[in-house]
Amino acid sequence: MRRNLITDVPGLKVGNADDPRLKSGVTVLLGDAPFTASAAIHGGAPGTREVALLDPQFTVDQVDALVLSGGSAFGLDAGAGVQAELAAMGRGFAIGSARVPIAPTAILFDLLNGGDKDWGEATPYRDLGRQAVKATAGSFDLGTAGAGAGATTATLKGGLGSASAQLDSGATIGALVAVNALGSATIGDTPHFWAAPFEQDGEFGGLGWPAPFPQDGARLRTKLDGLSEGANTTIAIIATDLALTKAELKRLAVMTHDGFARALWPAHTALDGDLVFALSTGQRKPRDPLAETVELGAVAAAVMSRAIARGIHAASAAPGDVAPTWRDRFSGHVG
């Protein structure tokens, strides 16, 4: 049964771990087996761990997990926690008798969101990474959960989103995203999402496109208007069961960034570290490689835009929040 989650791609599980007091958390995507992956970074202020090895020119072809974390650079500790838990499971890249788990990690900045970040000498992210691995399953929470637990946008609380689709060939594609953008996911002061043209089955309210389009709808609304200018970055994963090389996955990640631009206004700014991981479980061989990869990239962008809107639509309020949720601000339009 389709869940409309990235775990609709066979062989993938997702786990969240978060701390309401901290207003931050970690999300881990784990494969039943190692998978091929690459990445594309289009934001100007990224924070990453082990991402360089995903470039097609480098040796390691498969990884064990992908990690999304809050905490800015402190959140990179989540990758170490995930790596430690995977090692305990006997997972990892084999080098002689040694095994080294590979868990590329990307972070977002949520240090100024009202949470208690006075954690002392050791950050909590290593433990949160281990907890997220232990929590991996086919179903998982959206909204104020995992890496999206403390996320915000220019006008609303952000969150963790996911969505999926199937190609005509039968291949599956799924998106997972922690939305913490400098810009806005909704149009002007309306409850309508920029991603509305791609919505399926009322998954984020079913409001469609505003009619008429508000005169100030395209006016920029960013965190520079109020929230911290450093409190940004949308980080995401796009996954498929279609067998792709690292080079093909790099192109898929690039095309998936179009979904950011369709769902967030603006996106890919100098103050965002916008990143997309792309992965393939390799379970389905392409029938027409060129045509299928073109279709895959187009659908990936649409699925990512839907996931972004779903993450914001699902966010829930918590004491000390610095931004309202979509549901609270537009309570008369909740769907």
Side-chain angles (χ1 to χ4, degrees):
M1 182 178 69
R2 181 170 172 259
R3 303 182 181 95
N4 199 21
L5 299 173
I6 195 171
T7 48
D8 287 330
V9 177
L12 299 181
K13 296 178 181 178
V14 170
N16 289 325
D18 47 72
D19 182 341
R21 181 187 57 81
L22 186 68
K23 285 188 181 293
S24 189
V26 174
T27 297
V28 173
L29 182 143
L30 184 64
D32 290 345
F35 48 80
T36 305
S38 191
I41 302 171
H42 287 181
T48 63
R49 180 182 190 268
E50 289 192 312
V51 169
L53 60 80
L54 300 180
D55 190 280
Q57 68 176 307
F58 295 124
T59 302
V60 174
D61 189 52
Q62 294 189 313
V63 305
D64 297 286
L66 295 171
V67 185
L68 308 179
S69 179
S72 188
F74 298 106
L76 294 175
D77 284 353
V82 172
Q83 186 180 49
E85 192 64 28
L86 292 174
M89 297 165 59
R91 300 281 298 263
F93 181 71
I95 307 174
S97 61
R99 285 192 171 271
V100 181
I102 307 297
T105 302
I107 52 88
L108 56 82
F109 187 108
D110 58 5
L111 299 181
L112 303 176
N113 63 0
D116 181 2
K117 306 303 193 296
D118 186 17
W119 50 62
E121 294 183 359
T123 81
Y125 292 99
R126 183 183 178 96
D127 288 341
L128 287 169
R130 298 195 76 147
Q131 292 170 26
V133 173
K134 293 176 181 178
T136 53
S139 294
F140 55 95
D141 290 338
L142 301 183
T144 306
T152 58
T153 69
T155 56
L156 298 170
K157 194 169 180 177
L160 187 75
S162 192
S164 69
Q166 194 168 56
L167 304 188
D168 292 340
S169 67
T172 301
I173 187 145
L176 178 68
V177 58
V179 189
N180 189 59
L182 179 76
S184 175
T186 51
I187 300 170
D189 294 318
T190 79
H192 299 268
F193 286 92
W194 286 109
F198 305 99
E199 186 175 11
Q200 295 185 7
D201 302 321
E203 62 193 339
F204 42 87
L207 300 180
W209 203 250
F213 192 89
Q215 289 186 346
D216 66 344
R219 180 177 68 82
L220 290 185
R221 287 166 169 80
T222 74
K223 290 175 181 173
L224 297 176
D225 300 328
L227 295 177
S228 168
E229 65 185 58
N232 317 310
T233 294
T234 298
I235 46 179
I237 302 169
I238 196 77
T240 183
D241 54 357
L242 196 68
L244 300 175
T245 66
K246 282 176 75 174
E248 290 168 331
L249 286 167
K250 177 81 171 184
R251 178 52 49 190
L252 177 62
V254 169
M255 293 184 71
T256 302
H257 270 285
D258 288 352
F260 283 28
R262 291 169 181 170
L264 297 166
W265 174 247
H268 305 129
T269 75
L271 298 175
D272 286 292
D274 293 348
L275 174 148
V276 174
F277 292 115
L279 75 90
S280 167
T281 61
Q283 295 182 10
R284 181 181 290 270
K285 292 184 179 180
R287 298 175 183 174
D288 183 343
L290 183 58
E292 279 188 89
T293 53
V294 170
E295 180 189 8
L296 189 71
V299 174
V303 171
M304 184 59 70
S305 69
R306 292 166 46 211
I308 289 169
R310 290 192 79 202
I312 291 167
H313 181 258
S316 56
D321 283 349
V322 297
T325 68
W326 184 92
R327 291 175 181 273
D328 284 346
R329 183 172 177 184
F330 304 112
S331 58
H333 302 270
V334 171

